[in-house]
């Protein structure tokens, strides 16, 4: 599997995520799948639109999302918008409806690590609620994509980002 950003999606993505600094920014990735033309029919996720979201992390979201049951681990850092993001579930519903009207879907989410590397943090791994794609932009603006598997901390796989045409 690989991911491809069409048009100016990559630029829009980095601008909207980095605008949230010093907080983590977040966005949904909308688009469709296609099969590559080479022999091994590889699945390519084509991002056609960036849906910027507000980072609604807060103690309320902690309860709404029923996170406490996921936090029976030793997270030593203090969690805040600077190191954690939550996308409002209502935003996801809206984006999902909007995408479906265009025969697209939500391919995954993206967020920034304003002070870190573009690799999934321990918290990212523990709070993966469904298997899927996440894209992370690091403090130097470098972007990497990952396939997260729910409840499998050590099973994160990097997804290749194809250079856009
Ligand atoms: Zn993260």
């Amino acid at each position: 599997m690989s991911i491809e950003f069409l048009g100016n999606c990559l630029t829009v993505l980095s601008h909207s995520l980095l605008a949230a600094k010093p907080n983590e920014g977040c966005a949904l990735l909308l688009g469709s799948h296609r099969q590559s033309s080479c022999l091994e029919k590889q699945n390519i996720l084509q991002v056609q639109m960036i849906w910027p979201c507000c980072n609604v992390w807060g103690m309320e979201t902690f309860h709404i999302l029923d996170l406490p049951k996921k936090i029976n681990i030793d997270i030593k850092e203090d969690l805040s918008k600077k190191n954690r993001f939550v996308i409002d579930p209502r935003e996801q519903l809206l984006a999902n409806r909007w995408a479906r009207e265009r025969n697209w879907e939500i391919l995954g989410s993206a967020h920034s690590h304003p002070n870190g590397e573009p690799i999934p943090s321990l918290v990212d791994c523990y709070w993966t609620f469904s298997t899927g794609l996440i894209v992370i932009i690091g403090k130097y603006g470098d972007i990497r994509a990952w396939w997260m598997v729910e409840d499998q901390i050590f099973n994160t796989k990097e997804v290749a980002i194809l250079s856009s045409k």
Side-chain angles (χ1 to χ4, degrees):
M1 181 194 298
S2 48
I3 178 173
E4 187 174 34
F5 289 90
L6 300 187
N8 62 352
C9 281
L10 210 48
T11 312
V12 172
L13 181 67
S14 48
H15 284 183
S16 56
L17 293 185
L18 294 175
K21 252 178 158 178
N23 294 332
E24 288 198 2
C26 49
L28 293 168
L29 308 172
L30 273 49
S32 52
H33 292 242
R34 79 170 171 89
Q35 299 282 314
S36 66
S37 44
C38 63
L39 275 180
E40 318 108 48
K41 294 278 175 214
Q42 200 199 22
N43 193 10
I44 299 175
L45 305 173
Q46 283 189 306
V47 179
Q48 323 220 23
M49 202 195 123
I50 306 299
W51 186 286
C53 298
C54 283
N55 181 356
V56 296
W57 167 261
M59 284 322 277
E60 324 81 60
T61 46
F62 194 87
H63 295 294
I64 293 167
L65 299 175
D66 201 14
L67 295 180
K69 70 177 175 196
K70 281 266 186 182
I71 202 172
N72 54 351
I73 46 150
D74 191 18
I75 295 177
K76 295 202 176 74
E77 57 187 329
D78 285 359
L79 294 172
S80 76
K81 282 186 186 179
K82 292 191 169 71
N83 53 22
R84 186 60 209 156
F85 77 98
V86 168
I87 294 174
D88 191 333
R90 285 168 298 186
E91 193 104 64
Q92 304 211 28
L93 285 177
L94 280 175
N96 196 28
R97 192 188 308 156
W98 199 91
R100 275 210 246 149
E101 285 166 6
R102 286 154 184 82
N103 285 323
W104 293 349
E105 59 188 284
I106 298 179
L107 300 172
S109 70
H111 70 281
S112 59
H113 284 172
N115 299 306
E117 301 297 317
I119 54 177
S121 66
L122 192 59
V123 184
D124 288 332
C125 292
Y126 272 106
W127 288 348
T128 295
F129 296 105
S130 56
T131 297
L133 176 82
I134 66 163
V135 169
I136 305 177
I137 180 167
K139 60 180 168 183
Y140 300 119
D142 31 350
I143 296 180
R144 289 167 77 177
W146 306 87
W147 189 257
M148 306 291 282
V149 178
E150 189 182 3
D151 291 331
Q152 291 189 35
I153 313 275
F154 303 106
N155 211 0
T156 304
K157 271 200 292 210
E158 182 152 16
V159 177
I161 300 179
L162 303 180
S163 52
S164 43
K165 284 158 251 168

